[in-house]
Every structure is written in C-alpha cells, then in structure tokens.
Amino acid sequence: MNGGWFGRYLRVDASLGSGQIVTIEAAALRAVIGGAGLGAWLLLRETPAGFDPLGPDAALIFAFGPLGGTPLTTSAKLAVVAKSPLTGRIGDALTSSDFALAGKRTGFDAIVVRGRAAVPSVVLVDGERVTIAPCEDLWGGGRPIGEVEATLRERHPGFEFAVIGAAGERLVRYAGVVNGGRHAGRGGLGAVLGAKRIKAVGVRGTQRVAIADPPRAVALAKDLARRSLGAATEKYRELGTVANLATFNRLAALPTRNFQASTFEGAREVSGEELKLTRERGRGSCANCTIGCEHFYEVTPGAPAVKAEYESVFALGPLCGIADPAVVLAAARACDELGLDTISTGGTIAFAMECAERGLFPRGPLADETEGLRFGDGARLLALIDAIAHRRGALGDLLAEGSRSAAARLGPLAQEIAPHVKGLEIPGYDPRALQTMALGFAVGTRGADHNRSGAYEADFSGKVDRLAAGPEAAAYAIASEDRAAVMDSLILCKFLRGALTDFFGECAELLAAVTGDAIGADELRATAGRIVLLKKLFNVREGWTPAEDTLPARLFDTPLPSGAAKGTVLSRARLGAMIEAYNLGRGWRADGSVPREAVIAAGLDGLVDISGLGRGWAEQKERILQGGEETGRSEGERR
Amino acid sequence: MITIELFGVPRMRAERDSVVVEADSLGEAFRALGVACPALDPTVVQEGRLRSHYLVAVNGRQLTADPATPLREGDVVVLLSAEAGG
Ligand code: SF4
C-alpha cells in the first residue's frame, strides 16, 4: 500500500479490555474504499446474523477514509457504522473533525468496538494500545456532552473523543455519537455504545498518512479548495443549509405538522434568511474544510450561540407546528447536549402531537401525560425532549423507542401516520412534492434518508417532473446513491459535489494520487454499486423484505392541501413502478431481492465470507436466491 | 406583469424579496431582473440566462432554467438555489 490506507483495523473487546490487530487485504480496501463502504463490509464480517444491536455481539465501527489526513478539503471525516437499534437495518452516519484526524493517526483504517464493559467506561486507543478506563462519575449525571468532552480532554491529554449523552446511556433508539460539536446523528448509534456501557471512545496517534504522489495530491488539493469556494457552495457558505426552509415552503415541499401539510404559515420566522438578519452570530467549519457551512445563531441575548442546520430547524419547527425561532433553537441545543438525533426527535414528537390531538393515546399514564399536547406548544416540545433523553415517564419511555414502535402500541391509525421508513423518521423533503426523493426514501438501506440518497437533486434539476415522477426517475436515484456511496467512502463532504464536474473521473484521480492505485472512473462507478449492494446484503441478512421499501400510508393517494403543489398526489402504484424500475436498474429482481448473479457480478462473493456468516444468513440467502438454478444450496456450498 | 420572487442568496444580495418586471419569456425575465437588481448580474443572471446552480419554478411548480419558457401575464417566477442539500 503506497498511501491513504494502513491495511489493518483494530478490534476492541470492551468485555476484556483488549485490542486485536487484524490485517485487511489491499484488494478488499480497493473494493470497498473506506468509510461507509469499509464499515458495511466489516459489519458483515464482525457480526453474526440476527444479532441484537444492543447486545454484546453488536459491533460499532469507526471507519476512516483513505483521503482522511491529507490536505484535501473536507476530508477530515469518518463513518460510524452499526446495526441500527431504531431500524434493525444498517446504520451508517458520517461525522467530521479532530476525532477523524486523530483516529486516522492511530494507524488503523477502522476501529471496531465489540463486547460490553463491566462498568461505565471510556475506551482509549493510543496507537496500538487499548485501555478501558472506568468513568462512572461521568455516567448518569445528565451533564451536557460538551462538558463531558472537556472533562475527558483534561483527564486524557492529547486524545480526541466521541461521546454519548444522557440519551445514549438510556438507550434511546435515536441517540447519536458526538465529537467536537459534530454528530453521527441518525439511527441510534449512541444507544449501541450506551449498551456497551461505553461513555466515550478516545483516540490518539502519531502515524503519518502516507501519500503516494505528494505533488499531484497537493496540486489537486489546491484546485479543489479553489473550486470549493465557487457558486456551487455559496448557499452553504452564505446562509447555511437552513436556506432550504423558505424555498421548500414556497415549493410546498416543507413537511409540516407531522406531514399533514407541506407549507407552514410560520416559515418566514424560522427561515434562513430571517435567522441570518436577526440572529446570526458567527460561522464555523469542520476541521480541514474551506467551505464552512456552519452558522451559529443567538438563542437568547447573552447566551452562547447555537449551530443549527435545516434538518434541525425543520424537524423542531414546522414539523411540530412551531414558529418561534428561540424555541426551535433552544430545542436544537437541547438535542445536541443530550445526544439526540434532531430529525427523529422532532419526527417522533410531531407524531405524538398529532396522536394527542386525535385522542389516540390509551387511557392511563399515556393519556394523562399527553393531556393538552398540541402542535405549536414550544414548552411541551422542550419538556418532551428532556423526558425522551432520560426516558422519564410513560410518554418519554414510549417516544424514546421512535415513532414506529410507539405507533405499534397505539394502533392502526397511528401506524398510518407514523413518519418513518424502516423505522427511521423522514427528513425535511416532502416526498409528495419531491417525488424522486420519495423513491430514494423508500428504497434507502438506512431508511428515510437524505444523505445516502440525494434523489432530490433530480427533483431540483428540472429533468423529472417533481410532482408526477415515474420510472424515468429511477436512473437519477441510482446515480445519486452511487455518488453518495463514493463520497461517504473516500470520505469527502457531499456539499462539494456540485463543484465536481466529472464526478467519477475526479474522485478516481484523487484516490489514485493518495493511494497510488490506478483506479479509473469506471471501476469507481462499479465500486459505488458494490457498496450499495453490501449495505443491502446486510439488510437482507438481518431480515429485509420487499414490503419495507415503501412510505407511510398517509403519504399516498391524498392531495397535498396547500401551496404551490396543492392537489398533488403521490400514488402507491406510481411509487411501486418507480421502485420496480430502481430494482431492475440495480440489476436486482423487480421486488428488490438480489439474485446470485448480481452478488457475483459485483465481486462480492469472494469478499463476503458467506460460509462463515451463520445459519440465519444461509436461510435468508436461500429465500432471496430462490428462483435461481442453485436454489436450496447455501452460499457456503457454492463456494 | 411578472413577479420574480427571490430566495436565499439572491434575496440577500438584492436586499429585496421580489421584483416586478415585464416579460413574455423566462429569458426576458432574467434580463429584466439583471437590470432591476445589478447585484445579481452576473452572479445569478447573465445575458438573459440563469447561471448554473440556480433554477426557477414558474408559479412554484416545475423547476427549469430554460430561457425559452413562455410566461403569461400574472405568472410568478420563484428563483432559488439548485443546491438543495440539507
Ligand atoms: S461543508 Fe460543512 S459539513 Fe461539509 S465539511 Fe465543511 S463545514 Fe463540514
């Protein structure tokens, strides 16, 4: 290996307090790149089929990218990968900054944490040395995450930390992992760490990231930095992602009051334009980023400003019917300090607000605790965030499970209106008004997800009819997933993508300059498909069925009630046709099951040791492979 | 008359929410917008065209950048960033 990769990962056993170094073949790294791709592959290798995501068999993987630690802008990132306790499917979240850089300097391409510590502890990875240090004083006290990080830095100088908050300790199924104010937010990865009784993982190292062709890499880095400041990123630099809010409202694509509408009468108050004029107090960026999309806003005069993204403002604002920016920003801060994913928090509370208005909570503690709960109630929003993070009361405990589980308790109507796909709450892109995104949400391996599928790009290109998309949208959804798979594996920030004119060619060039591997654009395109398939195969192994590739019932066949897209309908049949076109476009069966030939064509039969993956996998494989000539034979026998 | 509504960076640069122009096509509307709001020429509109990374939605519906798109009296042209990442 000439550069970028180290060719090994560290397996930490939290039960034993030990570490084991495991070699990764160069061919495997070339096949999955790093980051999300490497994490998905390791998750398949490191876990038995059908494992409990909160059990000791579960693995939480910090996977670095080959470009991390180089001068390339936005490359200071890592993927955190596990089986999501919210969805039961793959959970992969990206985060940035100093933890990513320090983690890479340990000299590993990934750190895999398994087992369960005897008492609340911090895992310290100091190069090749692993220590598990008890930290019971930091557990259970409800201290804000920022304070915990500061204490850990004092105790263990030179380490960078990824930390869980109160929500992770209490196994809230959408608790995140936080490092330096950045969040691996979605899917409950913080609960996976909490179940291992690990408050934090600290990393420190002295390894240098080798670069195969330094002059070429430096030249490419300079060029990329220059282009990162062009028109493609000016929205992020000048207003931040929250600029989406007013625009989406005008296009009737802003999910409001638990998806009862797609326009919000209070949108102006919480819009990016308004926040910029009235509350912006500063900007920031991840480490090694020239774009700097972070914008900080004043919550109350004199108090520290809070960083807010579109997704947080949408979920804690319009989705809950709240237009007061002070409440929305305070709610975003509370989620950050408690270690909660803002999208799932807002989505689950909005769902509860609608259930309360409709009288769906059963008599007893749940009805009592939801008495008077209505959309627009900022005080109740803030109280519920705290109750969820601490699983306080019957309601806090119920909502800590997420909207899908809560709905299963509340009955069929609640299940129709629970705002999730595969258990993951839907982000702020209304799928009825952005119908390529409807497809992206439905087929996403992580569930409803705007980061693994940027299918909305097609809706925002004018190339498809965003209000009446059909099978022609599938190719765009596939292309956007493929681009995301590459960026999440290299890893580069997706806000750079608009600055790349020849996406696969340029990414291949960056990879070649750093690693020395002459990976061309075509190979990288094939690699993208392989990474998407790896995630799908994990889901298949863990029980995926075609029925879960869909949207909540309420989103079908009912006209949007207001705004520019008033009257627009997303029909179940049309989404079904798009899903079928997507599956066939991927080389899978029309129902999304994966034929043996597709696994072989992607080069995964040699990469995934199917014979060692356990009985559950073999059963799944038989079911998924049914119809092929080799039905009835396990993958192990074939190999 | 055609109303051009501005969102995001164009709104901040032009320091206004909307502009009313006379135009029979998007191309004419873009040209008129550049005259009415010099701060948007050439970063957002240039010589009757939209710069890349911007789009419009006529009456808030389908998105396009095609200057040949005809406009009718009373149409509202919503100008926005094509970068919708969040
Ligand atoms: S653009 Fe934003 S999210 Fe991306 S690396 Fe830079 S600061 Fe981080």
Side-chain angles (χ1 to χ4, degrees), chain A residues 234-235 250 429 460 466 564, chain B residues 5 8 54-55 60-61 83-84:
Chain A
E234 69 184 7
K235 181 192 96 171
R250 185 63 181 86
Y429 297 77
F460 276 86
R466 73 180 178 98
Chain B
E5 294 181 3
Y54 288 100
L55 285 172
R61 292 182 72 87
E83 303 296 328

Side-chain angles (χ1 to χ4, degrees), chain A residues 73-77 96-97 182 236 284-294 309 492-496:
Chain A
T73 184
T74 78
S75 63
K77 288 188 180 279
S96 314
S97 281
R182 305 294 307 184
Y236 305 116
S285 78
C286 299
N288 195 22
C289 170
T290 44
I291 299 170
C293 72
E294 297 179 345
E309 307 286 347
L492 290 174
C493 181
K494 285 197 273 297
F495 292 160
L496 257 186

Side-chain angles (χ1 to χ4, degrees), chain A residues 346-409:
Chain A
T348 304
I349 292 175
F351 162 75
M353 286 171 163
E354 185 173 355
C355 289
E357 288 192 354
R358 288 171 177 259
L360 299 182
F361 285 101
R363 272 200 296 202
L366 284 173
D368 294 347
E369 290 177 35
T370 52
E371 176 72 39
L373 180 63
R374 294 288 178 269
F375 284 109
D377 188 336
R380 296 289 287 273
L381 170 76
L382 293 169
L384 272 175
I385 289 171
D386 204 59
I388 289 169
H390 295 94
R391 285 188 177 268
R392 191 180 306 117
L395 187 60
D397 196 38
L398 179 75
L399 300 184
E401 295 293 301
S403 63
R404 180 174 66 177
S405 288
R409 286 263 315 271

Side-chain angles (χ1 to χ4, degrees), chain A residues 527-550:
Chain A
T527 300
R530 182 182 308 121
I531 291 167
V532 172
L533 179 55
L534 261 177
K535 297 182 191 186
K536 171 90 175 190
L537 290 178
F538 178 82
N539 284 358
V540 167
R541 194 191 77 174
E542 298 305 310
W544 170 89
T545 66
E548 65 194 59
D549 286 356
T550 189

Side-chain angles (χ1 to χ4, degrees), chain A residues 85-388:
Chain A
L86 184 64
T87 67
R89 303 290 173 256
I90 194 161
D92 55 342
L94 278 283
T95 179
S96 314
S97 281
D98 296 326
F99 182 85
L101 295 173
K104 187 92 189 254
R105 281 198 298 271
T106 60
F108 295 101
D109 296 313
I111 297 169
V112 179
V113 183
R114 301 183 52 174
R116 175 178 287 158
V119 295
S121 300
V122 50
V123 171
L124 296 168
V125 177
D126 192 2
E128 294 183 0
R129 207 159 69 91
V130 175
T131 327
I132 311 272
C135 67
E136 286 153 289
D137 61 314
L138 297 178
W139 189 274
R143 291 170 66 183
I145 281 179
E147 268 183 50
V148 172
E149 263 190 286
T151 304
L152 286 168
R153 280 214 188 87
E154 262 172 40
R155 277 183 201 174
H156 307 285
F159 282 85
E160 293 294 336
F161 289 93
V163 182
I164 61 167
E169 294 173 8
R170 287 165 183 78
L171 312 186
V172 176
R173 287 180 188 266
Y174 42 94
V177 177
V178 182
N179 60 290
R182 305 294 307 184
H183 297 246
R186 304 231 67 196
L189 303 172
V192 178
L193 217 46
K196 296 183 178 308
R197 298 197 190 98
I198 293 173
K199 180 70 181 173
V201 175
V203 286
R204 185 170 73 172
T206 54
Q207 294 279 322
R208 208 176 52 83
V209 178
I211 296 176
D213 185 346
R216 184 78 192 123
V218 168
L220 289 169
K222 279 187 183 158
D223 180 51
L224 200 58
R226 180 185 56 76
R227 285 192 283 154
S228 76
L229 299 173
T233 61
E234 69 184 7
K235 181 192 96 171
Y236 305 116
R237 286 181 281 121
E238 295 192 25
L239 277 163
T241 54
V242 76
N244 285 353
L245 201 138
T247 304
F248 284 22
N249 186 56
R250 185 63 181 86
L251 299 178
L254 176 66
T256 297
R257 294 189 178 84
N258 194 34
F259 291 83
Q260 293 184 83
S262 63
T263 59
F264 182 50
E265 68 282 359
R268 189 176 188 102
E269 284 89 318
V270 289
S271 68
E273 293 88 336
E274 195 66 16
L275 290 176
K276 171 123 189 142
L277 290 174
T278 59
R279 289 176 181 264
E280 186 165 315
R281 294 294 173 265
R283 278 182 56 198
S285 78
C286 299
N288 195 22
C289 170
T290 44
I291 299 170
C293 72
E294 297 179 345
H295 293 250
F296 291 82
Y297 305 103
E298 179 180 277
V299 185
T300 46
V306 63
K307 182 175 67 183
E309 307 286 347
Y310 166 65
E311 289 296 341
S312 303
V313 175
F314 127 80
L316 301 164
L319 197 63
C320 293
I322 292 172
D324 181 345
V327 170
V328 175
L329 294 169
R333 164 175 288 155
C335 288
D336 287 355
E337 290 179 345
L338 294 162
L340 283 167
D341 172 30
T342 52
I343 302 174
S344 284
T345 302
T348 304
I349 292 175
F351 162 75
M353 286 171 163
E354 185 173 355
C355 289
E357 288 192 354
R358 288 171 177 259
L360 299 182
F361 285 101
R363 272 200 296 202
L366 284 173
D368 294 347
E369 290 177 35
T370 52
E371 176 72 39
L373 180 63
R374 294 288 178 269
F375 284 109
D377 188 336
R380 296 289 287 273
L381 170 76
L382 293 169
L384 272 175
I385 289 171
D386 204 59
I388 289 169

Side-chain angles (χ1 to χ4, degrees), chain A residues 398-436:
Chain A
L398 179 75
L399 300 184
E401 295 293 301
S403 63
R404 180 174 66 177
S405 288
R409 286 263 315 271
L410 300 179
L413 179 54
Q415 287 177 302
E416 280 186 22
I417 64 173
H420 71 88
V421 174
K422 298 184 178 76
L424 192 72
E425 282 71 24
I426 303 174
Y429 297 77
D430 197 300
R432 295 160 293 190
L434 301 168
Q435 296 192 354
T436 315

